[in-house]
């Protein structure tokens, strides 16, 4: 078995400071040589080595890529509640040889008590970020697991969830990112997450999550009903105090939908359609392939043109992204060609001003098995521990995906009962012209997800870089004034954050073209935790997990 464990700096820009204080300012590069993991049968890649091992266990027991993906996600839902969990949402793409990829939208809907007018009357100009049940939608993660397993799984659900259950009951060592994330909580949040905070006091401290273990055991024995209508569901109804109803929780949050596709750099790119923002990665890549990108990614012109492609694709996202948006229309070449034509090689071009006035925490994982069944899965709390609210019986923290809603009276994504918010989660699958699998790809990163994916797509499929080189290379991301979710709403448009290990020439070259540039630390989690599995021409699998995740791993046989 080939295995590599990769380390990086911190869980988010906020957590960087806590990490420096705890682990020293010099921890900026991977602690082990960062190489592409190669295998012939199957590969699992995730942001946590324990989760990757859970996926490999499912494969070793005769499971397929879907069993392994659910096992991996369930494990990291236990070990990384600062990134994801049973109280969050899920999107996935599945590639079955000989078939078109299919997409699963397991993002939750607002409760029946959702009332935009009441929020506005209470003084809110936008959705609350923390400490407010109204920013919590029905968590879709468990419905996503059940839908994936029910359609494709080989093993029993109890066998799939067994590694995660063992981690929850027997304990796991706290990761540096979990410890650093807990340090960012305010006092009310620390009180709610007291059981976790009292255990995860240092990296390596043993952490048990007995409430989450009961939830996993209930799902193993009774499926989605035992979760949504059992201990967790009853607690969620109580916390909501009328915001959610029993009917809200009885309704499945998982829907199989047609994947969205567009061709770029000789491959077909697939993603989940709206309410996902995945269309931005497709549109950005299509725009970029028509631009005179330099052959050398170290050239500042390379970064400039990809930035402009991302801006051209995404600047109107707050106005057009909603659950009923027409995905094919948003990526229609007739629609995006004028945006490409407006891009200048020597200066910033498409910009805007907004009068409107968050760093995302998510986990991405991917699996390819011996039959070349592939899963590209992303799961999230939205921001850190999410809403900083918990279901008290199980201690499962609740996401804050409702922050994607608008409160504007006529906005198509306006907050309301039973509606799904716009989502940052953007998994990708890539196929060859003949339909064979070429790669899985995804990342955390809030609004920046499509921007990170755009850079990786160019490195992998335009420049032919191997996975480890593409993943470890320095990145740029567009950023707003406050958080990882305000890129397109900050007054005057976004600035450019450049990662510490990116070429020094980028700074001057970008500033000379009109970009506002800020240099960030090397291997900073503000630039995402991206993982990929690439299928080489001879069928060999080549994979890399992101060193920015500190404990991420890619492993296979």
């Amino acid at each position: 078995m080939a295995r590599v464990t990769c380390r990086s700096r911190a869980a988010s820009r906020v957590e960087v400071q806590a990490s420096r204080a705890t682990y020293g300012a010099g921890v900026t590069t991977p602690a082990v040589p960062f190489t592409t993991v190669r295998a012939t049968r199957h590969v699992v890649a995730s942001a946590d080595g324990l989760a990757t091992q859970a996926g490999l266990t499912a494969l070793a027991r005769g499971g397929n890529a879907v069993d392994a993906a659910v096992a991996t996600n369930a494990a990291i839902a236990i070990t990384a509640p600062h990134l994801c969990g049973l109280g969050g949402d899920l999107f996935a793409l599945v590639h079955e040889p000989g078939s078109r990829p299919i997409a699963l939208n397991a993002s939750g809907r607002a409760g029946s008590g959702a009332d935009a007018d009441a929020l506005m009357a209470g003084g809110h100009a936008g959705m609350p970020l923390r400490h407010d049940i109204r920013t919590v939608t029905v968590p879709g993660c468990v419905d996503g697991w059940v839908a994936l397993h029910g359609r494709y799984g080989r093993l029993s659900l109890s066998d799939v969830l067994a590694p995660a259950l063992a981690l929850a009951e027997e304990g796991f060592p706290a990761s540096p990112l979990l410890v650093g994330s807990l340090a960012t909580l305010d006092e009310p949040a620390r009180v709610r997450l007291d059981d976790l905070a009292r255990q995860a006091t240092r990296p390596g401290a043993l952490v048990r999550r007995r409430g989450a273990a009961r939830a996993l055991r209930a799902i193993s024995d009774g499926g989605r009903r035992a979760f949504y209508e059992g201990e967790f569901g009853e607690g969620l109804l109580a916390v909501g105090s009328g915001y959610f109803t029993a009917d809200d929780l009885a309704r499945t949050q998982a829907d199989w939908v047609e994947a969205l596709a567009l061709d770029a750099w000789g491959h077909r790119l697939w993603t989940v359609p709206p309410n996902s923002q995945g269309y931005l990665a497709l549109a950005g890549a299509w725009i970029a392939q028509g631009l005179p990108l330099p052959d050398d990614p170290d050239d500042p012109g390379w970064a400039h043109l990809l930035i402009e492609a991302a801006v051209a694709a995404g600047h109107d996202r707050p106005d057009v992204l909603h659950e009923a948006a027409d995905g094919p229309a948003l990526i229609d070449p007739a629609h995006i060609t004028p945006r490409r034509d407006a891009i200048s090689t020597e200066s910033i071009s498409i910009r805007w001003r907004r009068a409107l006035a968050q760093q995302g925490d998510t986990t991405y994982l991917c699996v390819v098995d011996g039959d070349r069944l592939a899963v590209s899965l992303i799961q999230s709390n939205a921001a850190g521990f999410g809403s900083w609210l918990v279901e008290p019986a199980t201690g499962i923290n609740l996401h804050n995906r409702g922050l994607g809603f608008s409160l504007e009276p006529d906005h198509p994504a306006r907050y309301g009962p039973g509606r799904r918010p716009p989502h940052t989660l953007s998994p990708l699958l890539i196929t060859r012209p003949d339909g064979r699998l070429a790669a899985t790809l995804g990342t955390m990163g809030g609004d920046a997800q499509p921007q990170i994916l755009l850079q990786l797509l160019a490195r992998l499929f335009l420049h032919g870089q191997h996975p480890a080189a593409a993943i470890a290379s320095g990145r740029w991301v567009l950023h707003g004034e406050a958080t990882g979710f305000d890129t397109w709403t900050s007054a005057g448009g976004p600035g450019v954050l450049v990662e510490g290990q990116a070429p020094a020439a980028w700074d001057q070259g970008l500033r000379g073209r009109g970009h506002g540039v800020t240099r960030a630390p090397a291997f900073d989690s503000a630039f995402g935790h991206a993982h990929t599995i690439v299928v080489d021409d001879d069928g060999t699998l080549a994979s890399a997990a992101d060193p920015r995740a500190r404990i991420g791993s890619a492993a296979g046989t």
Side-chain angles (χ1 to χ4, degrees):
M1 179 182 294
R3 184 167 183 253
V4 63
T5 299
C6 310
R7 301 177 184 272
S8 82
R9 189 172 182 83
S12 70
R13 285 161 60 193
V14 173
E15 292 156 16
V16 167
Q17 293 180 350
S19 179
R20 284 176 182 158
T22 305
Y23 312 113
V27 182
T28 59
T29 57
V32 297
F34 187 55
T35 60
T36 294
V37 171
R38 299 188 182 275
T40 56
R41 292 181 56 205
H42 52 239
V43 169
V44 181
S46 83
D48 189 321
L50 294 173
T52 297
Q53 291 300 318
L56 291 174
T57 297
L59 291 166
R61 291 176 176 173
N64 61 18
V66 168
D67 293 315
V70 174
T72 303
N73 189 195
I76 200 168
I78 296 300
T79 62
H82 57 296
L83 298 177
C84 63
L86 286 78
D89 276 353
L90 181 153
F91 287 99
L93 294 157
V94 180
H95 177 269
E96 194 172 17
S99 302
R100 288 169 54 95
I102 189 168
L104 179 67
N105 183 337
S107 62
R109 300 171 176 87
S112 292
D115 187 338
D117 291 333
L119 274 171
M120 295 180 71
H124 292 278
M127 293 296 296
L129 179 64
R130 314 270 196 198
H131 301 304
D132 194 315
I133 193 65
R134 292 171 293 184
T135 201
V136 180
T137 56
V138 178
C141 174
V142 171
D143 268 333
W145 293 349
V146 171
L148 284 163
H149 178 265
R151 182 163 182 159
Y152 293 102
R154 287 181 186 167
L155 301 176
S156 68
L157 189 57
S158 60
D159 282 343
V160 169
L161 298 181
L165 181 58
L167 290 169
E169 290 184 334
E170 299 170 17
F172 59 91
S175 74
L177 299 190
L178 174 58
V179 176
S181 296
L182 286 165
T184 69
L185 298 176
D186 63 17
E187 187 58 27
R190 285 188 66 82
V191 170
R192 297 186 190 107
L193 290 161
D194 178 66
D195 183 59
L196 190 62
R198 282 188 294 103
Q199 297 181 78
T201 55
R202 58 174 176 79
L206 186 67
V207 178
R208 294 185 176 93
R209 299 188 62 198
R210 294 182 175 85
R214 292 197 306 274
L216 287 175
R217 194 173 294 282
I219 297 163
S220 297
D221 294 341
R224 65 97 52 200
R225 185 172 181 178
F227 179 73
Y228 290 99
E229 300 177 43
E231 183 180 30
F232 175 86
E234 291 170 359
L236 186 59
L237 292 175
V239 171
S241 299
Y243 174 64
F244 295 112
T245 67
D247 287 344
D248 293 336
L249 302 190
R251 178 185 184 183
T252 182
Q253 307 301 312
D255 298 302
W256 293 102
V257 296
E258 186 174 349
L260 195 62
L262 192 64
D263 293 339
W265 292 312
H267 291 76
R268 176 149 290 188
L269 315 180
W270 303 84
T271 193
V272 180
N275 56 322
S276 165
Q277 67 167 349
Y279 77 95
L280 296 178
L282 275 57
W286 188 91
I287 290 169
Q289 75 167 356
L291 299 175
L293 287 175
D295 292 333
D296 182 4
D298 286 354
D299 189 317
W302 186 87
H304 164 71
L305 288 175
L306 290 184
I307 290 168
E308 292 305 290
V311 172
H315 73 277
D316 62 347
R317 198 203 94 167
D319 298 324
V320 302
L321 180 57
H322 53 92
E323 63 178 324
D326 185 341
L330 291 173
I331 60 171
D332 188 332
H335 175 65
I336 55 181
T337 294
R339 302 184 181 202
R340 183 190 65 195
D341 293 345
I343 291 173
S344 166
T345 60
E346 298 304 323
S347 66
I348 61 173
S349 48
I350 302 171
R351 292 297 187 269
W352 65 97
R353 290 193 176 275
R354 289 183 175 270
L356 301 178
Q358 299 158 354
Q359 204 71 261
D361 279 306
T362 294
T363 198
Y364 172 77
L365 61 95
C366 46
V367 184
V368 177
D369 68 19
D371 296 325
R372 295 307 180 256
L373 181 69
V375 182
S376 181
L377 185 152
I378 193 163
Q379 206 255 301
S380 177
N381 292 332
F385 287 95
S387 63
W388 292 1
L389 301 175
V390 302
E391 188 287 300
T394 61
I396 293 170
N397 49 300
L398 304 172
H399 67 171
N400 55 346
R401 272 294 160 190
L403 60 83
F405 284 118
S406 172
L407 295 183
E408 296 178 34
D410 298 321
H411 198 287
R414 195 177 198 230
Y415 179 57
R419 294 181 180 176
R420 280 175 163 150
H423 241 282
T424 58
L425 301 186
S426 311
L428 293 184
L429 272 170
I430 301 95
T431 56
R432 301 172 186 270
D434 62 4
R436 288 181 298 137
L437 180 68
T440 62
L441 183 61
T443 184
M444 63 162 275
D447 284 345
Q449 287 184 33
Q451 303 155 34
I452 296 165
L453 295 172
L454 174 59
Q455 294 167 78
L456 293 173
L457 287 168
R459 290 184 180 277
L460 291 168
F461 299 110
L462 175 62
H463 303 295
Q465 293 184 351
H466 66 83
I471 294 291
S473 293
R475 301 169 186 163
W476 55 264
V477 298
L478 301 172
H479 68 99
E481 297 173 341
T483 71
F485 297 95
D486 63 347
T487 303
W488 309 115
T489 56
S490 293
V496 178
L497 196 65
V498 174
E499 197 172 15
Q501 78 274 28
W506 279 13
D507 295 41
Q508 183 176 350
L510 291 174
R511 289 190 181 106
R513 290 171 169 87
H515 299 277
V517 176
T518 302
R519 180 66 67 155
F523 296 98
D524 188 335
S525 284
F527 297 85
H529 299 165
H531 318 305
T532 187
I533 303 171
V534 175
V535 184
D536 287 340
D537 291 341
D538 62 0
T540 300
L541 302 175
S543 180
D546 203 311
R548 298 162 187 85
R550 294 185 70 89
I551 58 169
S553 73
T557 61

